[in-house]
Coordinates of all heavy atoms in Angstrom, one line a residue:
H618 N 20.7 11.0 -17.9 CA 21.1 10.4 -19.2 C 22.3 11.1 -19.8 O 22.4 12.3 -19.7 CB 19.9 10.4 -20.2 CG 19.1 11.7 -20.2 ND1 18.1 12.0 -19.4 CD2 19.4 12.9 -20.8 CE1 17.6 13.2 -19.6 NE2 18.4 13.8 -20.5
K619 N 23.2 10.3 -20.4 CA 24.4 10.8 -21.0 C 24.7 10.1 -22.3 O 24.2 9.1 -22.7 CB 25.6 10.6 -20.0 CG 25.4 11.2 -18.7 CD 26.6 10.8 -17.8 CE 26.4 11.4 -16.4 NZ 27.5 11.0 -15.5
K620 N 25.7 10.7 -23.0 CA 26.2 10.2 -24.3 C 27.5 9.5 -24.0 O 28.3 10.0 -23.3 CB 26.4 11.3 -25.3 CG 25.1 12.0 -25.7 CD 25.5 13.1 -26.7 CE 24.2 13.9 -27.1 NZ 24.6 15.0 -28.0
G621 N 27.6 8.3 -24.6 CA 28.9 7.6 -24.4 C 30.0 8.2 -25.1 O 31.2 8.2 -24.7
C622 N 29.7 8.8 -26.3 CA 30.7 9.6 -27.1 C 30.2 11.0 -27.3 O 29.4 11.2 -28.1 CB 30.9 8.9 -28.4 SG 31.5 7.2 -28.3
P623 N 30.7 11.9 -26.5 CA 30.2 13.3 -26.5 C 30.4 13.9 -27.9 O 29.6 14.7 -28.3 CB 31.0 14.0 -25.5 CG 31.5 12.9 -24.6 CD 31.7 11.7 -25.4
E624 N 31.4 13.6 -28.6 CA 31.7 14.2 -29.9 C 30.6 13.7 -30.9 O 30.2 12.6 -30.9 CB 33.1 13.9 -30.4 CG 33.3 12.4 -30.7 CD 33.8 11.6 -29.5 OE1 33.8 12.2 -28.4 OE2 34.0 10.5 -29.6
G625 N 30.2 14.6 -31.8 CA 29.2 14.2 -32.8 C 27.8 14.7 -32.4 O 27.3 14.3 -31.4
E626 N 27.3 15.7 -33.1 CA 26.1 16.3 -32.7 C 24.9 15.4 -32.9 O 23.9 15.5 -32.2 CB 25.8 17.6 -33.6 CG 26.9 18.7 -33.3 CD 26.6 19.9 -34.1 OE1 25.6 19.9 -34.9 OE2 27.3 20.9 -34.0
D627 N 25.0 14.4 -33.8 CA 23.9 13.5 -34.1 C 23.8 12.3 -33.1 O 22.8 11.6 -33.1 CB 24.0 12.9 -35.5 CG 23.9 14.0 -36.5 OD1 23.3 15.0 -36.2 OD2 24.5 13.8 -37.6
R628 N 24.8 12.1 -32.2 CA 24.8 11.0 -31.3 C 23.8 11.3 -30.1 O 23.9 12.4 -29.5 CB 26.2 10.8 -30.8 CG 26.4 9.5 -30.0 CD 26.3 8.3 -31.0 NE 27.1 8.3 -32.1 CZ 28.4 8.0 -32.1 NH1 29.0 7.6 -31.0 NH2 29.1 8.0 -33.2
K629 N 23.0 10.3 -29.8 CA 22.0 10.5 -28.7 C 22.5 9.7 -27.5 O 23.4 8.9 -27.6 CB 20.6 10.0 -29.1 CG 20.0 10.9 -30.2 CD 18.6 10.5 -30.5 CE 17.9 11.5 -31.5 NZ 16.5 11.1 -31.8
C630 N 21.8 9.9 -26.4 CA 22.2 9.2 -25.1 C 22.1 7.7 -25.2 O 21.1 7.2 -25.7 CB 21.4 9.8 -24.0 SG 21.6 11.6 -23.7
D631 N 23.1 7.0 -24.6 CA 23.0 5.6 -24.6 C 23.4 5.1 -23.2 O 23.7 3.9 -23.0 CB 23.9 5.0 -25.6 CG 25.4 5.4 -25.5 OD1 25.7 6.2 -24.6 OD2 26.2 5.0 -26.3
R632 N 23.4 5.9 -22.2 CA 23.7 5.5 -20.8 C 22.9 6.4 -19.9 O 22.6 7.6 -20.2 CB 25.1 5.6 -20.5 CG 25.8 6.8 -20.8 CD 27.3 6.7 -20.8 NE 27.7 5.7 -21.8 CZ 28.9 5.1 -21.9 NH1 29.9 5.4 -21.0 NH2 29.2 4.2 -22.8
F633 N 22.5 5.9 -18.7 CA 21.7 6.6 -17.7 C 21.8 5.8 -16.4 O 22.3 4.8 -16.3 CB 20.2 6.6 -18.2 CG 19.7 5.2 -18.6 CD1 19.1 4.4 -17.7 CD2 19.8 4.8 -20.0 CE1 18.6 3.1 -18.1 CE2 19.3 3.5 -20.3 CZ 18.7 2.7 -19.4
K634 N 21.2 6.5 -15.4 CA 21.1 5.9 -14.1 C 19.7 5.5 -13.7 O 18.7 6.2 -14.2 CB 21.7 6.8 -13.0 CG 23.2 7.1 -13.1 CD 23.6 8.1 -12.0 CE 25.1 8.3 -12.2 NZ 25.6 9.3 -11.1
I635 N 19.5 4.4 -13.0 CA 18.2 4.0 -12.5 C 18.2 4.1 -11.0 O 19.1 3.8 -10.3 CB 17.8 2.6 -13.0 CG1 18.8 1.6 -12.5 CG2 17.6 2.6 -14.5 CD1 18.3 0.1 -12.9
V636 N 17.0 4.6 -10.5 CA 16.8 4.7 -9.0 C 15.8 3.6 -8.6 O 14.7 3.7 -9.1 CB 16.4 6.1 -8.6 CG1 16.2 6.2 -7.1 CG2 17.3 7.2 -9.2
L637 N 16.2 2.7 -7.8 CA 15.4 1.6 -7.4 C 15.0 1.7 -6.0 O 15.8 1.9 -5.1 CB 16.2 0.2 -7.6 CG 16.8 0.0 -9.0 CD1 17.8 -1.1 -8.9 CD2 15.7 -0.3 -10.0
P638 N 13.7 1.5 -5.7 CA 13.3 1.5 -4.3 C 13.7 0.2 -3.6 O 13.4 -0.9 -4.2 CB 11.7 1.6 -4.4 CG 11.4 1.0 -5.7 CD 12.6 1.3 -6.6
Y639 N 14.3 0.2 -2.5 CA 14.8 -1.0 -1.8 C 14.9 -0.8 -0.3 O 15.6 0.0 0.1 CB 16.1 -1.5 -2.4 CG 16.6 -2.8 -1.8 CD1 16.1 -4.0 -2.4 CD2 17.4 -2.9 -0.7 CE1 16.5 -5.2 -1.9 CE2 17.7 -4.1 -0.2 CZ 17.3 -5.3 -0.8 OH 17.6 -6.5 -0.2
A640 N 14.0 -1.5 0.4 CA 14.1 -1.5 1.9 C 14.0 -0.1 2.5 O 14.7 0.2 3.4 CB 15.3 -2.2 2.4
G641 N 13.1 0.7 1.9 CA 13.0 2.1 2.4 C 14.1 3.0 1.9 O 14.1 4.2 2.4
Q642 N 15.0 2.6 1.1 CA 16.1 3.4 0.6 C 16.0 3.5 -0.9 O 15.2 2.8 -1.5 CB 17.4 2.8 1.0 CG 17.6 2.5 2.5 CD 17.8 3.8 3.2 OE1 18.5 4.7 2.8 NE2 17.3 4.0 4.4
S643 N 16.9 4.3 -1.5 CA 17.0 4.4 -2.9 C 18.4 3.8 -3.3 O 19.4 4.3 -2.9 CB 16.9 5.8 -3.4 OG 15.5 6.3 -3.2
V644 N 18.3 2.8 -4.2 CA 19.6 2.2 -4.7 C 19.8 2.8 -6.2 O 18.8 2.8 -7.0 CB 19.5 0.7 -4.8 CG1 20.7 0.1 -5.4 CG2 19.3 0.2 -3.3
I645 N 21.0 3.3 -6.4 CA 21.2 3.9 -7.7 C 22.3 3.1 -8.5 O 23.4 2.8 -8.0 CB 21.8 5.3 -7.6 CG1 20.7 6.2 -6.8 CG2 22.0 6.0 -8.9 CD1 21.2 7.6 -6.5
W646 N 21.9 2.6 -9.7 CA 22.8 1.9 -10.6 C 22.9 2.7 -11.9 O 21.9 3.2 -12.4 CB 22.3 0.5 -10.8 CG 22.2 -0.4 -9.6 CD1 22.8 -0.2 -8.4 CD2 21.5 -1.6 -9.5 NE1 22.5 -1.2 -7.5 CE2 21.7 -2.1 -8.2 CE3 20.7 -2.4 -10.4 CZ2 21.2 -3.3 -7.7 CZ3 20.2 -3.5 -9.9 CH2 20.4 -4.0 -8.6
E647 N 24.1 2.7 -12.5 CA 24.3 3.3 -13.8 C 24.4 2.2 -14.8 O 25.0 1.1 -14.7 CB 25.6 4.1 -13.8 CG 25.8 4.9 -15.1 CD 26.9 5.9 -15.1 OE1 27.6 5.9 -14.1 OE2 27.1 6.6 -16.1
I648 N 23.7 2.4 -15.9 CA 23.6 1.4 -17.0 C 24.2 2.0 -18.3 O 23.9 3.2 -18.7 CB 22.1 1.0 -17.3 CG1 21.5 0.4 -16.1 CG2 22.0 0.1 -18.5 CD1 20.0 0.1 -16.2
L649 N 25.2 1.3 -18.8 CA 26.0 1.8 -19.9 C 25.8 0.9 -21.2 O 26.3 -0.2 -21.2 CB 27.4 1.9 -19.6 CG 27.8 2.8 -18.4 CD1 27.8 2.0 -17.1 CD2 29.2 3.4 -18.6
F650 N 25.0 1.5 -22.1 CA 24.9 0.8 -23.5 C 26.0 1.4 -24.4 O 26.6 2.5 -24.0 CB 23.6 1.0 -24.1 CG 22.5 0.1 -23.5 CD1 21.6 0.6 -22.5 CD2 22.3 -1.2 -24.0 CE1 20.6 -0.2 -22.0 CE2 21.3 -2.0 -23.5 CZ 20.5 -1.5 -22.5
N651 N 26.2 0.8 -25.5 CA 27.1 1.4 -26.5 C 26.3 1.5 -27.8 O 26.0 0.4 -28.5 CB 28.3 0.5 -26.7 CG 29.3 1.2 -27.6 OD1 29.0 2.1 -28.4 ND2 30.6 0.8 -27.6
A652 N 25.9 2.7 -28.2 CA 25.0 2.8 -29.4 C 25.7 2.4 -30.6 O 25.1 2.1 -31.6 CB 24.6 4.3 -29.5
V653 N 27.1 2.3 -30.6 CA 27.8 1.9 -31.8 C 27.6 0.4 -32.0 O 27.6 -0.1 -33.2 CB 29.3 2.3 -31.6 CG1 30.1 1.8 -32.8 CG2 29.5 3.8 -31.5
T654 N 27.5 -0.4 -30.9 CA 27.3 -1.8 -31.0 C 26.0 -2.1 -30.3 O 25.9 -2.6 -29.2 CB 28.4 -2.6 -30.4 OG1 28.6 -2.1 -29.0 CG2 29.7 -2.4 -31.1
P655 N 24.8 -1.8 -30.9 CA 23.5 -2.0 -30.2 C 23.2 -3.4 -29.9 O 22.3 -3.6 -29.0 CB 22.6 -1.4 -31.3 CG 23.3 -1.5 -32.6 CD 24.7 -1.3 -32.3
E656 N 23.8 -4.4 -30.5 CA 23.5 -5.8 -30.1 C 24.1 -6.2 -28.8 O 23.8 -7.3 -28.3 CB 23.9 -6.7 -31.3 CG 25.4 -6.9 -31.5 CD 26.1 -5.7 -32.1 OE1 25.4 -4.8 -32.6 OE2 27.4 -5.7 -32.3
A657 N 25.1 -5.5 -28.3 CA 25.8 -5.9 -27.1 C 25.0 -5.5 -25.8 O 24.3 -4.5 -25.8 CB 27.1 -5.1 -27.1
P658 N 25.1 -6.4 -24.8 CA 24.5 -6.1 -23.5 C 25.1 -4.9 -22.8 O 26.2 -4.5 -23.1 CB 24.7 -7.4 -22.7 CG 25.9 -8.0 -23.3 CD 25.9 -7.6 -24.7
P659 N 24.4 -4.3 -21.9 CA 25.0 -3.1 -21.2 C 26.0 -3.5 -20.1 O 26.0 -4.7 -19.6 CB 23.7 -2.5 -20.6 CG 22.8 -3.7 -20.3 CD 23.1 -4.6 -21.4
D660 N 26.8 -2.6 -19.7 CA 27.6 -2.7 -18.5 C 26.8 -2.0 -17.3 O 26.0 -1.1 -17.6 CB 28.9 -2.0 -18.7 CG 29.8 -2.9 -19.6 OD1 29.7 -4.1 -19.5 OD2 30.6 -2.3 -20.4
F661 N 27.3 -2.3 -16.1 CA 26.6 -1.7 -14.9 C 27.7 -1.1 -14.0 O 28.8 -1.7 -13.8 CB 25.8 -2.8 -14.2 CG 24.6 -3.2 -14.9 CD1 24.6 -4.2 -15.9 CD2 23.3 -2.7 -14.6 CE1 23.5 -4.6 -16.5 CE2 22.2 -3.1 -15.2 CZ 22.3 -4.1 -16.2
I662 N 27.3 0.0 -13.3 CA 28.1 0.5 -12.3 C 27.2 0.7 -11.0 O 26.2 1.3 -11.1 CB 28.8 1.9 -12.6 CG1 29.7 1.7 -13.8 CG2 29.5 2.5 -11.4 CD1 30.3 3.1 -14.3
F663 N 27.6 0.1 -9.9 CA 26.7 0.0 -8.7 C 27.2 1.1 -7.7 O 28.4 1.3 -7.5 CB 26.7 -1.3 -8.1 CG 26.3 -2.4 -9.1 CD1 27.3 -3.3 -9.7 CD2 25.0 -2.6 -9.5 CE1 27.0 -4.2 -10.6 CE2 24.7 -3.6 -10.4 CZ 25.7 -4.4 -10.9

Side-chain angles (χ1 to χ4, degrees):
H618 43 267
K619 300 176 182 178
K620 300 177 182 179
C622 299
E624 65 276 4
E626 296 182 0
D627 296 333
R628 193 67 55 82
K629 293 185 177 181
C630 296
D631 56 0
R632 52 195 60 192
F633 50 88
K634 293 180 181 179
I635 58 174
V636 183
L637 306 164
Y639 186 84
Q642 303 288 320
S643 292
V644 176
I645 301 176
W646 297 344
E647 187 170 3
I648 300 176
L649 302 91
F650 282 97
N651 188 341
V653 178
T654 56
E656 70 282 355
D660 289 324
F661 291 82
I662 299 177
F663 306 102

